[in-house]
Structure formats: structure tokens, C-alpha cells
């Protein structure tokens, strides 16, 4: 079969680009087509680690899974991780190259574009199809110069483009027509059609609008994808809301603060989807409710987020929570916050050199941020309350922990190392492992440790696979996938 590429761009962020690429990856695999996902530039604090120890966006790791592949750095060669409102850590081919502000990165884009093209060419040489995800909207006028995320990249490799829009937000026809009108003539020519996402209701009531859109733009509507109730796919960046359980189902109340720079929020997806667990996410200026189990999540700017927690009353809350027997778990940055001191001598997360902060003081540990980031996938066994359960996860951190006394480790890793901390009274756990709840054995053991009795088993990984199949089945039903493949092949030949 001739090789082809297709780029999915959106009228807005969260229009459905990631989900459509995920669905198409699964559908092409079902047709026996070797396909790889690709996103030239991603901006997200939700990342994944490849088996080789490289860091990429979470969405591309999920898309790789849908395609039956292990995630690889070439699937997302440029990753931007915001650490302030105006700056981000820049990761190229899986490794951090430094922090840049928006102006500095704009100047750096010519280098970033070459890195993206190199990765794309390697994928195109290996696979029959490459499905490319855009970023945000291609019609952001202020970002058009040196663009490597949307049409600038599509033009560079000469591939066809689909534009997807979310009808659930309203204004779908204005979004599609306006986006197309703001593109150049050559960019408009490579748009082979539109997809409308998250439609609810009777399609017959939408038909007149679809007819108008096709007549107005001379572009076909390739599909109208329905809203899927309860659908779950790991979020690329936005923190997903928690399903609410009824009182009989919820056996454990979990509270998690949402930090200004929360990272890897998919850590608690398995918890919020568990039938017996109620997760409450607490943002700024919200009352912190009582809980059985509190999780301090990862952070891209630990000292800044620690100050946020103190200002929001979490110091007093944690003290009371622990006094009454509650359980606390810190993950990565949250683990560091539970220690005694945090030091950033190189200014990796802060503008100031030698920045220091006092932690909450519950773990006899100091953390020093070092230039070399720890990036690795891990397997092992956790050891709490005399339970030994298999676990898997991944590490993404610059912090190096220094314990001031002998401690009980949270987990024994397959590589012979230890991870984390368990307090002598068994109330506090700290770990550098993200994704710890995704493994069904570890999930069960941790929920029992947190106080849940007669908890139902839950296989998050199996659930995720079922959801990807449900998404793909919906796209199969509401799009002509075989015709889309032919369009892409014809574009490649032209």
C-alpha cells in the first residue's frame, strides 16, 4: 500500500484532535496498515516516558498504544512544559535543552522545526501511514510566522489536512468557515474536509447546516461524530473532572489539590474512574472537604506550588487530617513538598539561583534539583502493611532526595533500587513513580492501605483499551474511513 500522511487540525484547543488521531490509529491497524502517530510540537504538563528514557506528550503515548506500538521520541520531537505564564522548559527529542520565554522560543523555532522534520522523516520511512496531530488552531495569526505546529508543518511535508470542530461548544459553522477563511490559498487547498465532533441529537436537524457548509466552502464533511456519554481518554493537558458516585458506591473519599502547575494529572485517572472511589479536586479559593486519603500531585514548579498550598490553608488541613488518622500520599513534586527542604541551586524551576523553601516537614528528606532529569520506566513491588503487590510506573524529575535517617522504602524496583518512603506510623507515603494507580495490583493494595474495605477490583488498562475501541467503533460508523484513505493516497500521488 502506498505510504501517506494525514494531519488533523482543530478550530480550537480541545476540539477533538487527539481523540480523532487515536481513533484513526486503531482503525488503520484493524485494516492491517502499519501506522504511527506524530505531533511536531506539543505544549503540555502531562507527559510520558518512552522505554528508551525519553519524554514525550501523553497524547502521543496513548495514540501509540492505539496503534499497537511502544511510545517513541520521534512521535513527539518537541515538547514545551510551561513553568511560568510566559516561559516553558523546552524538550527536544526527549531531553530538556533549557527554559525559554515565548520570544526566545520563537527565535529557536528554526532549530525546532528541523528536529521535527527529522523525526517525521524517520517515521515516514518505517510506517505505511503517519497520522499527525496539530496544536491549538491553525488560524492563530500571531503564531503563523515560523509555524511548526499546524499549517507550517503541513506545507513543509506537503500532506493533506482535516479540520475538526467541537459542536458541543457552539458556533461550529463559524469556527469551521472562519478557520478556513484565515488560511492562505495553498493551505486551503490541502484541506480535504471537515469533521464535526461531539454531536448530540438527531442528525437530520443538522443536515441543512452540513449542506450549507459544503456549498459555502466546497469542502466535504467527512463525518459527524456523536457525543459518547462517559467516554474517557487520557487528557493531553486539561485536568479532567471527576465522576460523581452515589453514597452506596463510594467507599473512599479522596481529595487532591489542583496546583497552578500540576503535572501528570493522569496519575489519578484510575482513582476517579474506580466505582468505589470518589475523587474531589480542589482548586484555588475552594473549601477543602474532609477526606480519607489526600494526594499531593506532581508539579512543574514545586516551590511556587508549595507556596500556593500554604496560602490556601493546606498546612493546617494536612495537620488536622493526619491527627485524625487520615492517609497522605505525595507523588513526585508532592513527595518533595512533604519533605523538610527544597533547593533549586541552578534556578531550574525558578528565575533565582539558589532558591530554597521549607517543606511541610513530614518526611526526613531534603530535595536538591539537579540539571540531569531522571527519565525512566520502572517496575517493581510495593511493600505496605505487609502487602507485596506488583507495580509499574515512570519517573520524570530533576529532584534528588537526601534522607537524614534510615527509612522504610515504599517500593523495591526490578533494577535493584528502592523508591520512596513510608512513615513509621504507616500514614504517609511518598513516591517518585507516576502512573502508580494504573496497575491493578498496586491500585488494590493502595486503596486498602487508604482505608477502603471490600473494594472492587478495577483494571484501568483494560478499561482504557475498551474506550479506545468504543471511540474507533464510533468513528467507523460515522466516517467513511476507506474513502478517507483513498483521498490521502490520491493527495500523495498528486
Amino acid at each position: 500500500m502506498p505510504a501517506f500522511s494525514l494531519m488533523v487540525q482543530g478550530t480550537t484547543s480541545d476540539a477533538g484532535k487527539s481523540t480523532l488521531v487515536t481513533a484513526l490509529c486503531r482503525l488503520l491497524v484493524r485494516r492491517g496498515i502499519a501506522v504511527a502517530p506524530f505531533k511536531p510540537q506539543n505544549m503540555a504538563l502531562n507527559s510520558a516516558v518512552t522505554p528508551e528514557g525519553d519524554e514525550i506528550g501523553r497524547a502521543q503515548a496513548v495514540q501509540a498504544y492505539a496503534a499497537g506500538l511502544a511510545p517513541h521520541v520521534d512521535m513527539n520531537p518537541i515538547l514545551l512544559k510551561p513553568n511560568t505564564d510566559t516561559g516553558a522548559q523546552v524538550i527536544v527529542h526527549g531531553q530538556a535543552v533549557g527554559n525559554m520565554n515565548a520570544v526566545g522560543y520563537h527565535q529557536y523555532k528554526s532549530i525546532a522545526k528541523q528536529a521535527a522534520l527529522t523525526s517525521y522523516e524517520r517515521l515516514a520511512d518505517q510506517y505505511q501511514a503517519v497520522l499527525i496531530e496539530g496544536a491549538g488552531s491553525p488560524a492563530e495569526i500571531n503564531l503563523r510566522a515560523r509555524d511548526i505546529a499546524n499549517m507550517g508543518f503541513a506545507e513543509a511535508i506537503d500532506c493533506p489536512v482535516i479540520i475538526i470542530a467541537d459542536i458541543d461548544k457552539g458556533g461550529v459553522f463559524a469556527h469551521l468557515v472562519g478557520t478556513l477563511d484565515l488560511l492562505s490559498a495553498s493551505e486551503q487547498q490541502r484541506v480535504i474536509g471537515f469533521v464535526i465532533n461531539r454531536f448530540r441529537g438527531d442528525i437530520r436537524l443538522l443536515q441543512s447546516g452540513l449542506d450549507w457548509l459544503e456549498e459555502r466552502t466546497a469542502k466535504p464533511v467527512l463525518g459527524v461524530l456523536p457525543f459518547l456519554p462517559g467516554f474517557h481518554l487520557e487528557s493531553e493537558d486539561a485536568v479532567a473532572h471527576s465522576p460523581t458516585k452515589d453514597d452506596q458506591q463510594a467507599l473512599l473519599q479522596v481529595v487532591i489539590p489542583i496546583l497552578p502547575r500540576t503535572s501528570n494529572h493522569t496519575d489519578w485517572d484510575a482513582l476517579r474512574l474506580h466505582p468505589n472511589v470518589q475523587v474531589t479536586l480542589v482548586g484555588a479559593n475552594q473549601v477543602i472537604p474532609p477526606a480519607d486519603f489526600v494526594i499531593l500531585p506532581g508539579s512543574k514548579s514545586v516551590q511556587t506550588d508549595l507556596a500556593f498550598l500554604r496560602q490556601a490553608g493546606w498546612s493546617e488541613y494536612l495537620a488536622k487530617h493526619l491527627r485524625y488518622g487520615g492517609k497522605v500520599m505525595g507523588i513526585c513534586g508532592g513527595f518533595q513538598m512533604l519533605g523538610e527542604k527544597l533547593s533549586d541551586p541552578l534556578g531550574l524551576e525558578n528565575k533565582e539561583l539558589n532558591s530554597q523553601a521549607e517543606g511541610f516537614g513530614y518526611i526526613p528528606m531534603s530535595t536538591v534539583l539537579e540539571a540531569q532529569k531522571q527519565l525512566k520506566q520502572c517496575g517493581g513491588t510495593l511493600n505496605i502493611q505487609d502487602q507485596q503487590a506488583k507495580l509499574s510506573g515512570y519517573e520524570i524529575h530533576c529532584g534528588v532526595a537526601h534522607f537524614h535517617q534510615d527509612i522504610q522504602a515504599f517500593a523495591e524496583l526490578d533494577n535493584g533500587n528502592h523508591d520512596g518512603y513510608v512513615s513509621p506510623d504507616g500514614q504517609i507515603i511518598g513516591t517518585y513513580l507516576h502512573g502508580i494507580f494504573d496497575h491493578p495490583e498496586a491500585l488494590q493494595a493502595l486503596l486498602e492501605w487508604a482505608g477502603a474495605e471490600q473494594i472492587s477490583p478495577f483494571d484501568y488498562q483494560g478499561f482504557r483499551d475498551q474506550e479506545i475501541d468504543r471511540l474507533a467503533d464510533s468513528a467507523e460508523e460515522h466516517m467513511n474511513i476507506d474513502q478517507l484513505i483513498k483521498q490521502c493516497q490520491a493527495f500523495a500521488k498528486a
Side-chain angles (χ1 to χ4, degrees):
M1 175 173 292
F4 67 88
S5 295
L6 171 66
M7 190 170 198
V8 177
Q9 299 180 10
T11 56
T12 62
S13 295
D14 198 36
K17 299 182 291 292
S18 297
T19 54
L20 182 55
V21 170
T22 302
L24 293 175
C25 280
R26 181 59 57 95
L27 290 174
L28 293 188
V29 167
R30 289 179 182 177
R31 285 163 169 75
I33 298 172
V35 57
F38 178 74
K39 184 162 185 169
Q41 175 186 289
N42 199 344
M43 179 178 282
L45 289 177
N46 204 24
S47 56
V49 176
T50 72
E52 297 81 14
D54 295 309
E55 189 174 4
I56 66 171
R58 168 65 48 178
Q60 282 60 65
V62 174
Q63 291 159 0
Y65 178 83
L69 303 173
H72 190 273
V73 67
D74 281 338
M75 296 172 183
N76 177 212
I78 308 296
L79 175 62
L80 308 178
K81 300 186 76 172
N83 46 24
T84 69
D85 289 341
T86 59
Q89 183 183 61
V90 179
I91 295 168
V92 179
H93 285 152
Q95 302 296 319
V97 298
N99 294 329
M100 300 183 193
N101 60 27
V103 174
Y105 180 69
H106 186 70
Q107 300 300 320
Y108 184 81
K109 276 187 178 179
S110 58
I111 298 174
K113 184 174 183 178
Q114 189 54 53
L117 288 170
T118 299
S119 285
Y120 168 78
E121 289 164 3
R122 283 197 287 252
L123 293 179
D125 286 342
Q126 296 177 63
Y127 296 94
Q128 294 170 289
V130 180
L131 295 177
I132 308 163
E133 180 185 338
S137 162
E140 303 290 354
I141 303 303
N142 57 310
L143 300 178
R144 296 294 297 277
R146 304 184 186 181
D147 171 51
I148 65 172
N150 289 297
M151 281 298 180
F153 192 83
E155 295 257 271
I157 66 169
D158 192 23
C159 75
V161 171
I162 288 175
I163 298 179
I164 186 170
D166 180 5
I167 196 171
D168 204 43
K169 289 183 170 71
V172 70
F173 297 114
H175 283 169
L176 288 168
V177 173
T179 298
L180 190 68
D181 282 355
L182 289 173
L183 302 179
S184 70
S186 63
E187 292 168 347
Q188 290 177 1
Q189 290 173 3
R190 68 181 61 258
V191 176
I192 61 173
F194 305 121
V195 172
I196 293 176
N197 192 27
R198 299 189 184 112
F199 175 72
R200 310 175 193 236
D202 190 331
I203 190 68
R204 291 174 296 182
L205 298 178
L206 187 64
Q207 191 59 52
S208 62
L210 302 180
D211 294 340
W212 174 89
L213 180 63
E214 293 185 337
E215 181 179 356
R216 171 69 171 74
T217 64
K219 306 287 185 184
V221 176
L222 302 172
V224 178
L225 303 179
F227 177 84
L228 298 179
F231 175 71
H232 168 75
L233 191 68
E234 294 173 40
S235 175
E236 181 173 50
D237 200 29
V239 176
H241 295 291
S242 303
T244 300
K245 316 295 191 303
D246 62 41
D247 291 338
Q248 293 181 340
Q249 286 181 302
L251 302 178
L252 193 75
Q253 297 292 329
V254 179
V255 165
I256 305 172
I258 300 303
L259 310 172
R261 299 294 171 194
T262 296
S263 66
N264 294 81
H265 53 77
T266 48
D267 281 344
W268 60 77
D269 277 359
L271 290 176
R272 69 184 190 85
L273 293 164
H274 194 291
N276 301 137
V277 179
Q278 176 59 47
V279 175
T280 301
L281 306 178
V282 181
N285 302 316
Q286 292 183 318
V287 176
I288 312 171
D292 304 301
F293 182 21
V294 173
I295 298 174
L296 299 186
S299 165
K300 190 65 188 72
S301 187
V302 180
Q303 290 188 26
T304 301
D305 283 347
L306 176 60
F308 165 83
L309 289 179
R310 282 206 165 94
Q311 187 176 17
W314 281 87
S315 295
E316 296 79 7
Y317 178 87
L318 289 174
K320 182 177 180 181
H321 174 76
L322 289 166
R323 188 164 61 248
Y324 284 93
K327 301 294 177 67
V328 174
M329 183 177 192
I331 300 175
C332 198
F335 176 27
Q336 296 171 3
M337 292 178 192
L338 289 172
E340 295 173 351
K341 183 176 291 187
L342 297 93
S343 301
D344 186 4
L346 303 177
L348 298 175
E349 292 184 354
N350 304 276
K351 293 181 180 180
E352 299 178 10
L353 296 178
N354 296 313
S355 175
Q356 296 191 27
E358 299 296 320
F360 286 121
Y362 291 111
I363 298 177
M365 175 186 78
S366 295
T367 301
V368 178
L369 299 189
E370 297 185 356
Q372 184 63 42
K373 185 183 287 191
Q374 302 296 312
L375 295 166
K376 51 193 164 186
Q377 294 185 354
C378 304
T381 305
L382 63 80
N383 187 10
I384 51 172
Q385 294 181 337
D386 297 324
Q387 294 190 67
Q388 290 193 331
K390 293 294 182 183
L391 60 81
S392 59
Y394 57 98
E395 294 185 34
I396 304 177
H397 59 95
C398 293
V400 176
H402 301 277
F403 293 101
H404 310 318
Q405 62 190 54
D406 292 338
I407 62 150
Q408 177 185 337
F410 166 66
E412 306 220 2
L413 304 181
D414 293 338
N415 60 13
N417 294 330
H418 296 85
D419 168 77
Y421 167 88
V422 179
S423 63
D425 60 10
Q427 283 186 258
I428 299 171
I429 285 175
T431 178
Y432 270 120
L433 295 178
H434 294 286
I436 191 76
F437 297 109
D438 293 359
H439 194 293
E441 280 190 39
L443 173 64
Q444 192 82 5
L446 286 165
L447 292 180
E448 290 176 5
W449 164 79
E453 297 179 359
Q454 299 180 334
I455 200 83
S456 301
F458 180 63
D459 181 0
Y460 173 72
Q461 295 170 351
F463 176 82
R464 179 179 63 174
D465 198 55
Q466 292 174 7
E467 288 293 89
I468 291 174
D469 277 334
R470 181 159 74 113
L471 175 67
D473 291 345
S474 177
E476 182 81 78
E477 180 180 355
H478 298 281
M479 294 178 65
N480 189 334
I481 303 300
D482 294 321
Q483 182 60 36
L484 176 61
I485 292 171
K486 290 178 181 178
Q487 283 181 271
C488 293
Q489 290 170 336
F491 190 98
K493 291 178 180 179

